[in-house]
Amino acid sequence: MSVTTSQVKRAFKYRFYPTDAQAAELSRTFGCVRKVYNLALAARTEAWARQERVNYNQSSAMLTAWKKTEELAYLNEVSSVPLQQALRHLQVAFTNFFGKRAKYPRFKSRKKSRKSAEYTASAFRFRDGELRLAKMSESLRIVWSRPLPDGMSPSTVTVSQDAAGRWFVSLLCDDPGINHLPTTDAAIGIDAGLDHLLTFSTGEKIANPRHERRDRVALAKAQRRLAKKAKDSVNRAKARRKVAKIHARIADRRRDALHKITTRLVRENQTLVIEDLTVRNMVRNRKLARAISDAAWSQFRSMLEYKAAWYGREVIAVDRWFPSSKLCSSCGALADEMPLSVRAWTCECGTIHDRDVNAAKNLLAAGRAVAACGAGVRPQRSSPGGQSAMKQETSRREP
């Protein structure tokens, strides 16, 4: 039996501990990257106001001119590659804007923007498990939590520092072949919620870990202390870092749990059917924004989709207006009303349904229909307020 492979780009992220000199050099680089990005954005915005367009080559020429000025001569002190990469990232941002895939690019803030710098192959050396960046005399002290696959070397390296002060390096590699998993007939419908994070068409339910709630008291205490510190003081910076560490701990736990769930689902099922949720609109509910964000439905879908693409699986997204909760999965009858307090209901055909399991079964059936006919499922809206029956679940206050 032949094994199908696919070539993908994979990023391997590791934590590292820089020396004082390396930390100072990287911090300087982060600042210069941000400065060049903002200067180029300002120049392109002014040109846009004059109904002119500035491309990457023109902004690169501007960078050369900026380096020759006395005011911006410090840009010569860092590697030129991350600065050029910042201009390329800005070009991508404008391409997405003109393609109506994103909003107009925004300026990077010194306090709020992500601190990162990208190095291409000409600006680093990777040999025998050691990584040395341009303008540095020593290799980075990387914690190799997992080895790179044999024969694989990075094409680009991204160094970053998160709000908690932790340093990370991400190695982007061209993986020549990820073996597809053996084909199976298994298919599953997945219903997302808050009472249970996920409910499957098999009847299994995944409890909602509520990662944020576990640290809510500690987080509130740290935030109160931060609010009392003087603006721009050293103590405020320390308090801000403590808040960031709690947020980082919550995000790490959430990401780890989602990785385990999505990997298991992709390994066991050939077809995975989910609901096409608009989380951006759902978090406008102020009472449930925290709970919806903690559930991380968008992150779950993203992981599911890229892992399915890697291993030869199929993810089908059913239209969010599909009345999965109110539709009987046995006879197809549509209930007139389904109050949120009803967690189990009996159809006129006599079938007793668990609300969430029934929704997952209906999603699976709708997904199979999409796969068979190649058309989306978009029935009439199921509620006067414009919400789908399934996402009426999020109208309840979090317990």
Side-chain angles (χ1 to χ4, degrees):
M1 183 178 65
S2 61
V3 178
T4 305
T5 61
S6 60
Q7 183 171 352
V8 299
K9 289 186 177 292
R10 298 183 64 181
F12 297 84
K13 190 175 182 179
Y14 304 94
R15 189 170 180 181
F16 75 98
Y17 296 87
T19 63
D20 292 341
Q22 290 173 340
E25 175 64 26
L26 290 173
S27 297
R28 225 175 5 250
T29 303
F30 294 159
C32 291
V33 166
R34 184 179 61 252
K35 181 67 174 180
V36 168
Y37 186 94
N38 289 341
L39 286 173
L41 177 55
R44 297 182 71 150
T45 301
E46 292 174 1
W48 174 258
R50 299 191 303 268
Q51 297 184 349
E52 299 176 1
R53 287 193 180 184
V54 176
N55 57 27
Y56 165 75
N57 292 331
Q58 292 170 309
S59 59
S60 181
M62 291 179 185
L63 174 59
T64 303
W66 293 335
K67 287 183 176 181
K68 296 178 180 180
T69 64
E70 182 179 355
E71 181 183 2
L72 299 175
Y74 62 86
L75 295 177
N76 294 290
E77 298 176 3
V78 302
S79 172
S80 62
V81 172
L83 306 184
Q84 293 289 347
Q85 290 300 100
L87 297 180
R88 290 189 175 94
H89 294 164
L90 181 61
Q91 179 64 35
V92 172
F94 271 101
T95 300
N96 292 332
F97 167 70
F98 292 129
K100 298 182 179 180
R101 295 183 296 271
K103 295 182 179 180
Y104 193 83
R106 295 182 296 180
F107 290 96
K108 293 183 179 294
S109 168
R110 182 176 64 86
K111 294 183 178 179
K112 297 181 180 180
S113 297
R114 180 172 180 261
K115 300 177 181 178
S116 66
E118 185 176 277
Y119 296 79
T120 57
S122 61
F124 68 85
R125 187 178 68 178
F126 181 76
R127 185 181 301 171
D128 299 328
E130 292 190 355
L131 177 66
R132 181 178 298 179
L133 303 178
K135 299 286 186 176
M136 294 186 183
S137 58
E138 299 180 57
S139 301
L140 300 182
R141 295 181 295 179
I142 302 175
V143 179
W144 297 100
S145 53
R146 55 173 175 167
L148 286 178
D150 293 337
M152 193 176 296
S153 59
S155 57
T156 61
V157 171
T158 302
V159 181
S160 61
Q161 184 185 27
D162 66 6
R166 302 180 301 180
W167 295 86
F168 295 96
V169 58
S170 180
L171 310 179
L172 183 64
C173 305
D174 292 319
D175 195 333
I178 294 182
N179 294 336
H180 285 186
L181 295 172
T183 304
T184 176
D185 295 330
I188 192 170
I190 306 170
D191 179 72
L194 295 180
D195 289 342
H196 291 88
L197 182 63
L198 300 170
T199 302
F200 304 144
S201 54
T202 58
E204 181 185 356
K205 295 185 177 183
I206 302 295
N208 190 347
R210 303 185 188 276
H211 300 287
E212 185 270 341
R213 178 179 289 184
R214 289 174 54 183
D215 281 328
R216 186 173 295 177
V217 175
L219 180 60
K221 184 177 180 180
Q223 289 173 331
R224 286 195 299 269
R225 289 181 174 177
L226 173 62
K228 296 178 181 179
K229 304 301 180 183
K231 187 176 180 180
D232 296 329
S233 66
V234 175
N235 286 335
R236 185 176 179 85
K238 293 179 180 178
R240 182 203 54 77
R241 186 171 288 109
K242 289 183 179 180
V243 173
K245 287 182 178 180
I246 298 175
H247 278 298
R249 184 166 65 243
I250 295 171
D252 288 345
R253 287 201 304 259
R254 182 187 299 120
R255 184 168 50 252
D256 179 68
L258 291 178
H259 269 302
K260 292 176 180 177
I261 294 172
T262 52
T263 298
R264 173 199 155 192
L265 289 172
V266 168
R267 285 177 176 173
E268 296 178 352
N269 301 279
Q270 182 68 32
T271 304
L272 306 103
V273 185
I274 58 177
E275 191 172 15
D276 187 15
L277 303 177
T278 53
V279 179
R280 181 180 300 178
N281 294 335
M282 294 164 61
V283 294
R284 294 176 182 175
N285 185 332
R286 296 178 61 186
K287 295 180 180 178
L288 289 165
R290 172 182 282 180
I292 294 173
S293 299
D294 192 28
W297 294 329
S298 295
Q299 190 175 13
F300 166 77
R301 176 174 177 174
S302 176
M303 289 182 180
L304 201 66
E305 288 179 337
Y306 81 73
K307 291 180 182 180
W310 281 3
Y311 298 109
R313 303 311 199 193
E314 183 182 19
V315 176
I316 300 175
V318 175
D319 192 280
R320 61 183 178 274
W321 302 118
F322 180 60
S324 55
S325 295
K326 297 167 60 176
L327 189 67
C328 177
S329 58
S330 297
C331 68
L334 183 64
D336 294 333
E337 294 183 1
M338 187 68 61
L340 296 175
S341 58
V342 177
R343 309 312 304 166
W345 58 284
T346 303
C347 180
E348 57 186 16
C349 68
T351 306
I352 301 176
H353 293 294
D354 177 284
R355 183 189 185 105
D356 298 331
V357 175
N358 177 66
K361 290 180 178 179
N362 285 325
L363 288 174
L364 176 58
R368 284 174 169 163
V370 171
C373 64
V377 179
R378 191 177 181 85
Q380 188 176 7
R381 292 187 178 184
S382 57
S383 66
Q387 288 180 306
S388 68
M390 182 272 180
K391 284 308 120 194
Q392 287 181 6
E393 305 294 337
T394 60
S395 297
R396 297 192 300 165
R397 183 183 294 274
E398 183 189 12

